[in-house]
Amino acid sequence: MIGKVIQNYKIIDELGHGGMGIIYKAYDVKLDRYVAIKILKPQVTDNRRFIERFKIEAKNQAKLSHPNIVPVYGFIDQDGIQGIVMELIEGETVEQMLEKRIRLDLNESIRIIKQVLCAIGYAHSKGFLHRDLKPSNIIINRDNIAKIMDFGISKSIFEKGITNTGTNIGTLYYMSPEQIKGEDITLQSDIYSIGITLYEMLSGAVPFDYQNEYQVIEGHLKESAPELLSKVPGLPLTIQKIIEKAIGKKPQSRFTDCKDFYDELVKLENEMGKYNRPRVEKVDRSSKSYKAKAAVYTVLVVIAGLTLVYFSFNQVDGLWKSGINPFFKMKKNPELEQQISSNNKLKWKVLVSGVKNNLNSIYFINDSTGFCCGSEGTLLSTTNSGAEWKRILSPSESELVSICFNKPESGFLIDEYSVFRTRDYGKSWEKVKVDCGGKKLYKVKFIDKLNGFIIGSNGLILKTIDGGDSWRQIESGTNNLLCDIVMDSNNGYCVGWSGEIIKTTDAGEHWKRLSPLTTNYLRRIKFADRENGFIIGGGGEIFKTTDAGANWAKVENSTSFGLYDMEYIDEKLCLIVGGQGKALLSTDRGNSWNATETNNFARLNEIFVTPQNTLFAVGANGTIVKL
């Protein structure tokens, strides 16, 4: 099948297979994009009635438009080949995550299931039931967004009853009692499957984990699920009660709808937040010793404060007066300006990385020495301005998501749960003790040599003021994934999933949530100067501010692909990179944007501008390009 052209789709690679069909990666030659195609197996396509129902279900799923549902683009029917065309999601399913890690932590599990409930609740409101929810049908993309697959297909699969010979035992593990008995199926049936899925995510196994089909069925119909806390001591009793309600034997004993289920999880998160707050011991402020110490400390604090204010004023004032702002250091780039003025295009050079893994982040400590990192512990370095890249010893075999240096010799590298540091220009890396509370890390960024941040899932913000020697968690006021942070001396913003935008006015010590700009994710925030800046994100959305972030206006453009990173090349030139190897270029400070090619079809994740204004970008399939 690889290399075969079906209608306007060229089959590129096999992504996976199941009992019903095989999923392929394909290239849509008409719309210039990659897609996923599920091709049905011959034994399934022999049933004409099944195919007709399957077509109807594909059309129905295409009507569902939700950020947590994989969209269907079309249906294939050619030369006996039947299949559905879907959005290509790069990431891993919950099933794959469990295969690697056995079980997931509570915070991560709740974050995923809440997104699942949003998607299923939306589908229910449109009159659709999924009927085959399980970990293999939940995929987490590279922005940590959960998306539901195979919507409605299960209706056709079990058209003749699920207890027929040949029933998939993997699906039986998640079936509701009424589904097994062939009774009417309601939205509570989907809630049951979600409850079973959450149980497995937390414990590493389904509650009725038998190899015999009959025993699995009997478990669903007659047995109580083993207590979750007996399998995973330390979990709050509340989560066990929530799951017990979700997987009640009778539909009426379960949650009324997905919103009720969702609200209970939110209550649990709030409870956990209270319990995790540090205890404050009471102090006797009336004692003489306390008053004496307080007076001394007050004098010291005042002296230190005046010194800090003087130093900060001179440093920041010097930056502004020199024309270089703390957000971004821009220089003129006559070469690029000449190139663009002649043909309005950029001459990208595709470099040889030597790897096929996804590359997530790139950083240069000077014009010649740089690093990039990616999936499966991929860590590359160059010492000749990107002409050659070599794979170097990595401190982790997990996905490396971000790299940043605060000094030429000192840098930080993070995977999803660990922080690593180098003190010798990237020659060796050591693990740093950081408490992230089980939350996923997403990006590390330094504002200067001493002050830096790590942001991540569930509103995670870690801050350092000593160059990374120690990190402490800051309350962000949100549970959404945070994707990017920008900061000057005191003022800053974080942006993230579901249009999240939060603001600080005290150097990141306290944050205030602002009104969401969109329901899509926000990936990057950049400022050109004190007043003007941009936010980019999902669905090709661009937002602009001209008043230091007080107000944001949507910039209209014809882009529909996801936008991942943005840089100011010089005072006039701005570049945005995104999905499908696409890029947007502005020559007027971001007032208007035009598409420009990058000579490759891979998604570009991050770009970096060196001190001498050489631009590099990294992305999927080991892609590194240079400008």
Side-chain angles (χ1 to χ4, degrees):
M1 187 67 76
I2 306 299
K4 185 179 179 66
V5 177
I6 307 171
Q7 292 179 4
N8 52 295
Y9 304 104
K10 183 177 181 180
I11 306 299
I12 304 296
D13 196 9
E14 181 179 324
L15 298 177
H17 61 276
M20 190 182 64
I22 301 174
I23 300 177
Y24 294 97
K25 178 180 180 179
Y27 177 63
D28 186 337
V29 296
K30 285 187 177 180
L31 297 180
D32 187 22
R33 65 181 178 184
Y34 287 102
V35 297
I37 302 179
K38 174 172 277 191
I39 304 293
L40 300 182
K41 290 182 177 179
Q43 59 266 37
V44 178
T45 58
D46 288 342
N47 187 328
R48 285 184 173 275
R49 188 160 173 260
F50 174 89
I51 292 301
E52 289 307 311
R53 287 287 303 275
F54 184 75
K55 288 180 179 179
I56 293 172
E57 296 301 342
K59 290 178 182 178
N60 288 338
Q61 184 181 343
K63 297 175 183 176
L64 295 175
S65 177
H66 190 275
N68 300 116
I69 296 176
V70 177
V72 166
Y73 295 150
F75 190 86
I76 287 177
D77 185 357
Q78 177 178 303
D79 300 329
I81 297 175
Q82 310 282 346
I84 56 173
V85 184
M86 304 170 286
E87 177 188 7
L88 177 64
I89 305 295
E90 294 188 356
E92 57 182 354
T93 64
V94 172
E95 181 182 56
Q96 292 169 329
M97 294 168 68
L98 291 171
E99 286 174 355
K100 290 180 182 179
R101 292 155 50 186
I102 307 300
R103 67 182 187 87
L104 308 183
D105 66 78
L106 180 58
N107 287 320
E108 183 177 16
S109 298
I110 290 176
R111 178 185 63 80
I112 292 172
I113 292 298
K114 281 169 60 182
Q115 294 180 68
V116 170
L117 289 167
C118 287
I120 300 303
Y122 164 80
H124 289 170
S125 71
K126 299 297 181 181
F128 293 95
L129 301 175
H130 191 288
R131 306 192 185 196
D132 194 28
L133 285 162
K134 52 189 176 182
S136 61
N137 279 340
I138 305 168
I139 188 168
I140 313 300
N141 72 10
R142 299 180 66 79
D143 295 312
N144 281 329
I145 297 174
K147 290 180 178 281
I148 310 299
M149 302 185 292
D150 287 351
F151 238 107
I153 295 174
S154 55
K155 290 181 183 179
S156 299
I157 293 174
F158 301 112
E159 178 184 359
K160 296 182 180 180
I162 51 80
T163 56
N164 289 346
T165 301
T167 296
N168 187 336
I169 189 73
T171 296
L172 270 179
Y173 285 129
Y174 309 92
M175 280 187 185
S176 64
E178 62 271 19
Q179 199 168 352
I180 290 173
K181 291 187 289 186
E183 298 175 351
D184 290 340
I185 298 173
T186 66
L187 59 88
Q188 275 75 31
S189 305
D190 280 346
I191 287 174
Y192 183 93
S193 299
I194 296 172
I196 297 288
T197 298
L198 179 55
Y199 184 103
E200 182 181 11
M201 291 166 69
L202 293 171
S203 69
V206 290
F208 309 116
D209 191 13
Y210 306 117
Q211 295 304 309
N212 179 277
E213 181 175 337
Y214 174 78
Q215 288 179 298
V216 176
I217 292 174
E218 286 293 291
H220 284 298
L221 296 178
K222 301 176 182 178
E223 297 177 17
S224 297
E227 287 192 355
L228 181 63
L229 269 61
S230 66
K231 289 177 169 286
V232 191
L235 288 177
L237 178 61
T238 306
I239 190 63
Q240 179 172 291
K241 292 181 177 179
I242 289 174
I243 292 176
E244 286 174 350
K245 183 168 184 178
I247 62 174
K249 299 299 181 187
K250 297 181 179 180
Q252 57 268 31
S253 66
R254 301 172 204 152
F255 290 105
T256 306
D257 52 31
C258 289
K259 184 180 184 303
D260 285 347
F261 195 163
Y262 182 97
D263 289 344
E264 288 302 311
L265 293 176
V266 171
K267 288 179 184 177
L268 174 57
E269 286 182 315
N270 293 335
E271 288 177 12
M272 292 190 298
K274 291 177 183 178
Y275 296 143
N276 290 334
R277 288 173 186 159
R279 296 180 63 183
V280 180
E281 296 183 5
K282 292 184 177 180
V283 178
D284 182 8
R285 289 178 168 80
S286 63
S287 65
K288 292 182 178 179
S289 60
Y290 172 81
K291 291 180 178 178
K293 290 178 181 179
V296 173
Y297 291 153
T298 300
V299 172
L300 292 174
V301 168
V302 170
I303 294 172
L306 290 173
T307 303
L308 180 61
V309 168
Y310 175 79
F311 175 78
S312 299
F313 176 80
N314 278 278
Q315 290 294 314
V316 175
D317 188 57
L319 284 172
W320 288 121
K321 288 179 178 178
S322 66
I324 302 174
N325 70 78
F327 293 105
F328 186 78
K329 300 179 181 180
M330 294 185 297
K331 297 180 180 179
K332 285 284 186 181
N333 199 324
E335 231 178 89
L336 275 179
E337 288 185 3
Q338 177 63 34
Q339 182 187 138
I340 293 165
S341 63
S342 60
N343 56 17
N344 200 37
K345 290 186 178 180
L346 296 175
K347 294 179 181 179
W348 294 85
K349 181 179 181 181
V350 180
L351 306 178
V352 178
S353 68
V355 299
K356 292 296 183 182
N357 297 328
N358 291 329
L359 299 176
N360 298 318
S361 184
I362 183 169
Y363 199 98
F364 274 76
I365 59 178
N366 52 45
D367 284 295
S368 58
T369 304
F371 300 85
C372 60
C373 62
S375 61
E376 299 179 13
T378 301
L379 185 59
L380 307 178
S381 73
T382 180
T383 55
N384 54 7
S385 302
E388 294 177 299
W389 291 87
K390 295 181 180 179
R391 191 160 188 167
I392 59 177
L393 184 63
S394 172
S396 170
E397 295 181 358
S398 301
E399 178 148 6
L400 299 172
V401 294
S402 182
I403 186 169
C404 180
F405 282 72
N406 60 323
K407 302 176 184 177
E409 72 280 5
S410 173
F412 291 82
L413 176 68
I414 61 174
D415 65 19
E416 292 178 327
Y417 294 99
S418 304
V419 180
F420 305 94
R421 182 178 190 176
T422 181
R423 301 175 188 268
D424 56 7
Y425 301 88
K427 295 177 182 177
S428 63
W429 299 83
E430 60 181 356
K431 191 171 183 178
V432 179
K433 187 176 180 181
V434 175
D435 181 14
C436 59
K439 300 176 182 179
K440 278 190 176 182
L441 311 179
Y442 189 82
K443 189 176 184 65
V444 55
K445 193 170 185 178
F446 273 80
I447 310 305
D448 52 39
K449 293 180 180 180
L450 297 178
N451 297 284
F453 295 87
I454 295 174
I455 55 177
S457 67
N458 297 94
L460 175 68
I461 298 180
L462 300 172
K463 180 181 178 181
T464 180
I465 58 173
D466 55 14
D469 292 337
S470 62
W471 298 83
R472 58 189 173 89
Q473 193 162 332
I474 303 293
E475 178 60 47
S476 67
T478 177
N479 287 320
N480 282 324
L481 165 70
L482 297 176
C483 298
D484 197 18
I485 183 171
V486 65
M487 186 82 63
D488 64 4
S489 56
N490 286 307
N491 300 311
Y493 294 90
C494 268
V495 295
W497 190 70
S498 295
E500 186 72 80
I501 178 168
I502 58 177
K503 180 181 180 179
T504 180
T505 56
D506 58 4
E509 291 297 325
H510 301 87
W511 295 84
K512 178 183 178 182
R513 295 183 75 181
L514 305 180
S515 298
L517 298 177
T518 175
T519 57
N520 286 322
Y521 66 83
L522 299 177
R523 184 66 176 263
R524 286 290 182 267
I525 178 169
K526 293 281 183 179
F527 276 81
D529 51 44
R530 240 192 303 203
E531 304 296 330
N532 299 285
F534 289 90
I535 296 175
I536 61 172
E541 290 189 320
I542 304 173
F543 298 91
K544 181 179 181 180
T545 182
T546 56
D547 53 10
N551 296 282
W552 296 88
K554 189 172 182 179
V555 178
E556 296 301 326
N557 68 92
S558 59
T559 305
S560 59
F561 54 85
L563 305 178
Y564 293 102
D565 202 4
M566 172 184 177
E567 278 290 5
Y568 292 94
I569 301 174
D570 69 9
E571 293 178 346
K572 294 182 179 180
L573 302 181
C574 311
L575 182 70
I576 295 175
V577 295
Q580 306 167 29
K582 302 290 187 181
L584 296 176
L585 177 68
S586 174
T587 58
D588 55 7
R589 300 176 182 268
N591 292 316
S592 61
W593 296 90
N594 297 307
T596 179
E597 295 297 330
T598 60
N599 299 330
N600 83 99
F601 297 110
R603 180 193 67 247
L604 296 177
N605 294 319
E606 189 169 280
I607 51 184
F608 188 89
V609 180
T610 69
Q612 293 302 315
N613 272 25
T614 302
L615 186 144
F616 291 85
V618 294
N621 305 322
T623 299
I624 305 178
V625 292
K626 180 180 180 179
L627 189 61

